[in-house]
Amino acid sequence: MLRIRLAVAAAAAALTAGVVVTVVAQQDTPTGVRPAAASVPQFDHVVLVMFENKKYSSINGSSSAPEFNALANQGAKFTQSFAITHPSQGNYVALFSGGPQGVVDDTCPANLGTKGNLGQQLIAAGRTFKGYSEAMPSDGYTGCSSGTYRRKHNSWVDFSNVPAASNVRFSTFPSDYSQLPTVAFVTPDMCNDMHDCSVGTGDTWLKKNLDAYAQWAKTHNSLLIITFDEDSGTSVNQIFTAFVGAHVKVGSYSESINHYTVLRTIEASYGLAALGNAASKSPILDTWQ
C-alpha cells in the first residue's frame, strides 16, 4: 500500500510539471506464498520411481533414509501426499490409469484390456513410454512372479494397449539419459522397494541407481518423481513424495495431493486429457519456476 501512495504522489508532482505519466499499482507478494506457474513445464524426460509400504514419517527426516531426504531437499517435498487404497496393486493401477479399475487386492493377473492409461496416451500423442522392472526375467514378461519380481507392482503390463516393447527390465535403463523415453516408470524389486527389506536398503538403491539421473535432470529439462504406493497399512495412507529436477522451486509444499494429482501433472506436461479420477484434480503448478 505504501508503494501505491508513493507512486500516486510522484505522479501528481509530475502532472504539475506537465509530464504525462502512467501509474502502475504494485502489490507485495505475501511472505511464504509461491506464485503458481501458468502451466506445467513440458519435460524432455520424466522418471517416476515407486517404493513400497512405508508411511511418510518412516522416511521424512529418518536417519535410515539420507538419500530420500537429500533429494527432497534439492527439490519439492510434499508434506501432505496420500495414496489411494490398500493393498499395493490398486495404487499402481490408479496412478497409471486414473482409477483402480476394479482392482481390490493383489490377485494376479489383473487383465485390464484397452482401458485408458498413461502409456497408451503418450504413445498415441507421438511420445514414448517404458516401464522398467527390476528382477523381471525378460523384456515383455507377463508372468506373475519370478525371483524378487512381482507383476502386481507393474501396472503397464495389465493393459493390452500398451505394447510389449514398453515392458522392459530395469537392467536396460540407459546410462545415457538422453536415450530415456518421454516418461519412464521404475519399479525396484521386492527387496529394494522396501517391501521385504529395510528403509536403508531402499535408500542405498535410490542413491546408486537414480541420484545421477536426478542431478542430470536439473540441467537437461527433465524430472525425477519419487513416491510410494501406500503407507504401512493405516487409514491415513500418507506417503513420501518429492519432485527433483529442472524448473523445480526448492521447498516444502503443504497442499494435499495424491496419486491422481501426480498423474494429472504428468498429463498436463504433455497436453494430455485427464484420465478418470485425475480429471477431478488440478495439476501441481506452484512448484515450478
Side-chain angles (χ1 to χ4, degrees):
M1 185 62 70
L2 176 60
R3 291 185 184 180
I4 295 174
R5 286 198 292 265
L6 290 173
V8 171
L15 286 170
T16 301
V19 178
V20 177
V21 298
T22 301
V23 177
V24 179
Q26 297 180 343
Q27 287 186 303
D28 292 327
T29 301
T31 302
V33 176
R34 303 175 179 89
S39 62
V40 180
Q42 187 173 105
F43 293 102
D44 291 342
H45 307 281
V46 173
V47 174
L48 182 148
V49 59
M50 185 98 90
F51 292 88
E52 276 275 315
N53 296 21
K54 295 293 180 285
K55 60 186 178 181
Y56 176 79
S57 60
S58 295
I59 304 299
N60 185 54
S62 171
S63 60
S64 298
E67 178 68 6
F68 280 88
N69 287 283
L71 287 176
N73 289 337
Q74 296 168 37
K77 178 174 70 177
F78 295 92
T79 62
Q80 296 293 318
S81 176
F82 300 90
I84 302 301
T85 188
H86 298 296
S88 295
Q89 188 166 217
N91 290 293
Y92 285 84
V93 172
L95 197 156
F96 193 62
S97 69
Q101 310 302 342
V103 173
V104 296
D105 55 29
D106 287 339
T107 300
C108 181
N111 293 316
L112 302 175
T114 60
K115 292 179 179 178
N117 61 79
L118 179 61
Q120 173 265 329
Q121 279 188 303
L122 287 160
I123 293 168
R127 301 188 184 276
T128 50
F129 169 81
K130 284 186 178 180
Y132 294 87
S133 296
E134 188 177 33
M136 192 169 69
S138 59
D139 293 347
Y141 182 72
T142 60
C144 287
S145 66
S146 176
T148 53
Y149 165 80
R150 296 292 184 274
R151 173 171 163 163
K152 65 181 180 178
H153 298 161
N154 174 349
S155 52
W156 45 95
V157 73
D158 295 330
F159 297 87
S160 60
N161 53 3
V162 178
S166 291
N167 178 32
V168 298
R169 295 162 294 151
F170 182 67
S171 59
T172 68
F173 193 87
S175 56
D176 176 359
Y177 303 130
S178 68
Q179 299 305 304
L180 281 163
T182 309
V183 175
F185 276 28
V186 172
T187 298
D189 70 18
M190 288 286 284
C191 179
N192 292 322
D193 68 4
M194 306 184 197
H195 186 284
D196 293 346
C197 296
S198 67
V199 169
T201 297
D203 190 80
T204 298
W205 186 94
L206 178 62
K207 183 174 180 62
K208 176 183 177 182
N209 290 281
L210 289 174
D211 186 89
Y213 168 75
Q215 306 313 318
W216 178 89
K218 294 175 185 178
T219 56
H220 290 83
N221 190 39
S222 296
L223 182 69
L224 174 65
I225 298 174
I226 303 164
T227 193
F228 283 73
D229 67 326
E230 58 179 326
D231 74 357
S232 52
T234 77
S235 59
V236 178
N237 221 352
Q238 184 179 7
I239 55 174
F240 187 93
T241 299
F243 290 1
V244 189
H247 312 295
V248 177
K249 288 190 286 191
V250 175
S252 292
Y253 294 79
S254 60
E255 65 260 45
S256 180
I257 68 168
N258 62 18
H259 289 325
Y260 300 136
T261 318
V262 173
L263 172 60
R264 183 71 194 98
T265 302
I266 297 171
E267 290 172 320
S269 180
Y270 303 107
L272 305 174
L275 287 165
N277 293 313
S280 67
K281 298 296 181 180
S282 297
I284 297 167
L285 296 177
D286 57 342
T287 60
W288 315 118
Q289 58 188 357

